[in-house]
Each structure stands twice: as C-alpha cells, then as structure tokens.
Amino acid sequence: FFARHIMDPLLSAMYGTYKTTSGQVQPNEKVFTYVVATISSMGVVALILSFMSHTQGGIGSPTSTFTKAFATMHPTSSQPRIGSAKPIGFERHHVAGAPNIVKGSQTRATRSVNHPTPAMPTNVFHNDEMLAQNVPFTRLPSSSSSMQAFSVGMTFAFLSGILALTWSWATKQRPNVLQPLQDRDFGSDMAMAATMGGNLSALNPDFINVATWTQGKEFGARMVDYINECPSAFHATAVAIQRLEACGYERIKEGSSWTGKLRPNGKYYFTRNGSSIVAFAVGGKYKPQNGFKIIGAHTDSPNLQIKPVSATGKAGFQQVSVATYGGGLWHTWFDRDLTLAGRVIMQTPEGALQPRLVNIKKPILKVPNLCIHLQSPDERTAFKVAKEKDICPILCTNVAAILDGGVPPSRDVKHHPAMLNILADELGCKPEQIVDFEMSLADTQPGVLGGAFNEFIFSARIDNLASCFCALESLVTAPDLENDPQVRAIALFDHEEVGSSSNAGAGCTQLITLVKRLTADFDTGSSNPQDYDIAISNSMIFSADGAHAVHPNYMEKHHELHRPELHKGVVLKFNANQRYATNAITAAITRELARRAGVPIQDFSVGNDTPCGSTIGPITATRLGIKTIDLGIAQLSMHSIREMCGTGDVFYCCKLFEAFFTDYHKVEIDDPEM
C-alpha cells in the first residue's frame, strides 16, 4: 500500500517519467524500486524521530505535546522509575551539587566518586510535581528511545543499501534506476563499462561497447594528428594528397584530357586552387549509367587572415591588420598564442612563380584582452568585439625591431619586415622573393584527446576537418572495390564558411567535371547525353559537416526533441526551409546503411525561433540534381578557436561512410527518383 499509493505518486511528482537502463520500467525493477524507496523512507523517518528525541521538548520530554497527551490518556499508567531504567549507551545525568557525568566514559578518578541519584517521583509523567520540586530532569527514557530510533534508522538505511548493491551485482547495472528520462546519460559514462563486462549494447542497442570505445580512441588520436597537420585549407589538401598517394591514387589534371587514363578499379584525384580536392575510385564493375557515391565536406574554418597591406601599429607596437574570415566566435581568439599558416607565392631564381606552404610552429602573434581594471561595469558584463578595432594582433615592439631586426619602423611597407623575415627563414629564401601570400592566423596549441577518460577531442578546426578525415579514411579503406558497380568519391571544398561561391567552393564545377568525364567512354571520350542524367538519378551525396551537440549549460537552445549528444552516433540534419538537403528518402537510405553498419543515428532540427546554419548540401543538390543528405558529428563550441567532439562519434562516422561506399548500391529502392 505504501509503495503503490504513496511512493509511486511521490516519485512521479519528483522525477516525472522515469525509466531504467532498458528504456522502460520493467516490473521487477519497479518492485525493487518500491522496496528500496520504502525501506529508505522508513529509515529516514526513524532518523527524524531520533533527532527529535535529542531536542529540548522532544519525544519523551515532560513538556512535549506527545508526553502530555499520553499522560492525559493514561493518568495511572505504571511506568518504570527513572532510577530503575537501565540506560542504553552513554547517558548524561544532571545532579544537583555534582558535576555532569557521562556513564560509561568516566576516568578512573571519576568512577571512584559516588554521586547519588536524587529521589524521583514514581511516575515519570507527573510533570508538574517534578517541576515544583525543582528536580533536574533525567532523560533516560528519551535518550533510550532516541538510540533505538537511531539504530532502527541506520539498520533500514544499511538494508536498503545492501539490497541496491545486490540488485546491481545480480543484474550488472548501476543502482540508480530512478534517474529521469531526460537526464539519463549512458553515452558519456564509460565508468559503467567495467561493471558490465564491456557489453553496454545490452543496455542500449545504440550504445558504444568497449571494443568500439577503444577503436573510437584510436580513430580520434589519428584525427587529432591529421588536424594538427592542417592549420589551413591548403595544408588540409596537401595532407589528403599524401594519404591518397600512399594508398595508390594517381593525380590527374582538369586541364588535360582524361581519355585513355581511366580504368575500372582505378584510383585518382584532382585539385583546384590547392585548397580543394576531389578523389575517386572507379568500381570494378562500373558502367557509365550506374552512378556515384559522393561524400562532400569542406577544408576551411573560421579564422583571421592577413590583409593585403597589413603593416600597422600604435603605442610602440608593430601590429598586423587582419580580416575576419567566416563567422567565428572571435572573443575566443583573444589571449591565444597565435602563429601564421598558409600559402606563399615566391619567385625562384629562374623567375618562375612557385606556391609554397608555410606553417610557423611557434607563437609570434597575440590579441591581448583589456584588463578588467580598465573596463567599465557595462563592458565587464557584456564583452562585445569591435572586429576592426579590437582584433589587431601584436607582432613585436619598435624597440625590438630596431635592436634585434635592425629594421626601423616605416610607413612605406605593405608588411612589417619582421614578419616577412620569419616567412623567408621558413621557406629558405630571401624576403624580396616573396611575391604574395594567403596567410591565416592559427592557434599554436595542438589538438589533444581530453576528458577524464580521453573520450573527447579538444582542437581547432574540428568543423570541418573531422568530416574531411572521416571521408578520406573511408575512401582509402573501404573494401571490395572490384565488385562495386559505381564510383566512390570524396569532394573536399574550400570557402564553405563564406558561402561556397568560388572556383574552389561547393558552388564550382568540380563535381560536374567529375560526373561528365566519368559518364563518357574511358577509351574514346564519346558519351551519350542521357548517360549523365541516368547516372545523376542513380547517385547520392553525403554532405558531411559538424552538427550541434546539446550543451549541458544551455539545453534550452535546442528543441526538446532534437538534442544530439556526444557518443550517441551520427546526426542527421533536417530543416523544413531547405537549409539542409535531407529528405525522407535520403534519410531512410542512410538509416538502412547505418543499420547494416551497426551505427546509431540521431536526428537534429532547430526550433522555430532559432536561426539555422547551412552546408554545402543544398548547393551541390541544386547544382547537380543529386539526392543529398546532410549529416555529421555532434560537437560543442562550433566556430570557436578550440572546439570539442567525442572520439566514439569519429569511429561511427567512419563506419557509416564506409558502409555508404560498400553498400549503397545494395539498398533496394523501388523508385530512385521518388
């Protein structure tokens, strides 16, 4: 009765809809919940009674309401005399003319003294008589009751704990079965893995197990190494080239004919602007009408870029004028140890123009914050970045430039000689050989695995180098190319953060070039115009970009039904206004591929009052007419100089991408044009 009519409504009121590890409240688990809650409650009640008995006027006191009521009801009740009751434990007696004594704890000298107990009335409840005689009150029954209540309370508490631990051991799950549905979080609690023998999928089929957890960390560590080597879009492309060539991919150029160079089972890549790359592998059973499986991502991230004329300075400092690229969280760039990375165009001694990549691996720039003592109260409560005024990195002082560099400050230079000297030293050339450059500022702090269990990736540029890494790894490792009837491809574009409208962005013709040339005859170059259209109909694009994980401190920013979490799988992104290209058919195909690969899926859609970002998905879907889905890895701190994601999701993403390459053509679709 207590459990059903008291505890159940109480728990529902406190926790709302609650569930257990399996997702639903099982009958045996519910009974166990009632038992533990009931015993614990009884223990709490007993402890409260114990506390009350120790207070002035508590239970058993001659002035308490309980005592007076009992005396009224039983005026002739025969009660044991005060002096005859055997005390339990340590009892303090207040005796007239004698010091306070605690029985059972006296020293030898104290025990040798005989302290008489004053004569007391025969009935403990004759309170008025006791008070009139000014006899100090001796609380033997009260103290005895309190110790008994305390013992009972501790016994109940101990018993409930034993039951909970026994249940936990017997069922191999944690004893906290009362956590509410909205707070349940198995995805980030790997301490539980050890107690479950690594079989966390028994709790939640979407949960990562120990084997997957280990692989996630391995993939995460490799992704960190990749990101650390890619401080700019140019470096991301160069690192991709190294990986592709190591796996047997051949370079082909858009500016030359591909006729006679392509073959089934062949692996190729081509680039644009040195900052975007398309790589593809031709299936062994490919025919021109069979179609393409394409994963698209982008190599750029929000950053600060050196302006064409950058030399500036004030107050004895030499500073560098920069332009904000994309929509960064610019306040996170303050007080960071910054460096330079990008592409330099230098002139060789023979007069040829040669592009070279530069990554200065030491801190040379800083955007310092204004100290709090010089800020007004309004400035302290709301820091607003004036991008032109506030973001002007310090390079050096005029004094140092003269003493160490030997170059006095001048208004007649485009760039400070100190910066040009650093670039020239890195390139091994003279400063006057530098014709131009595209340089970005980057954080010198490398990406790392972090968190108590190394489950997180803390790094710059996770958006969107994480997707680039997963796409690249999946392309070069996906098996069974010889039996594939389609073309597997990745397209890593530049300039997504500023709209994709460039010759190297997703709005360019790179994918059109790919589809047109591969739907032509490999040997003769001839083509049937309908082959292109049929191939488009049979193709699909994964538009891979970072997804917004729910922030534990700002959960209200997410729609309550769309809150992606770390380690919970790849996120499918939906938007009714076509900011994402996902539709029902592409989502259904992706869910089927994920099912085959054992990859959990999460759904994301912004609330109606929240603005929504966009990706390359709607752009490529519009340009090519290929069905597209937007998806990605859940992350926090998007567009900060330091972002965060989970290692398990990196592994999940790679698995899903691999399944896309190996199994997309195996998914049965009654009408691919629906």
Side-chain angles (χ1 to χ4, degrees), residues 243-295:
R243 181 80 167 110
L244 290 167
E245 291 184 345
C247 295
Y249 282 72
E250 305 173 29
R251 182 179 183 182
I252 54 177
K253 296 183 178 181
E254 279 189 280
S256 61
S257 174
W258 295 0
T259 302
K261 298 180 180 180
L262 305 180
R263 64 187 183 280
N265 293 310
K267 302 174 182 179
Y268 313 92
Y269 73 89
F270 63 99
T271 65
R272 274 196 188 178
N273 190 47
S275 60
S276 69
I277 183 170
V278 173
F280 60 96
V282 182
K285 297 182 178 181
Y286 172 72
K287 300 296 180 183
Q289 298 181 352
N290 288 357
F292 299 76
K293 296 169 283 196
I294 304 171
I295 299 176

Side-chain angles (χ1 to χ4, degrees), residues 49-72:
L49 294 176
S50 171
F51 173 79
M52 292 174 61
S53 68
H54 276 286
T55 61
Q56 185 66 28
I59 297 176
S61 166
T63 59
S64 70
T65 303
F66 175 83
T67 301
K68 292 182 178 180
F70 190 86
T72 302

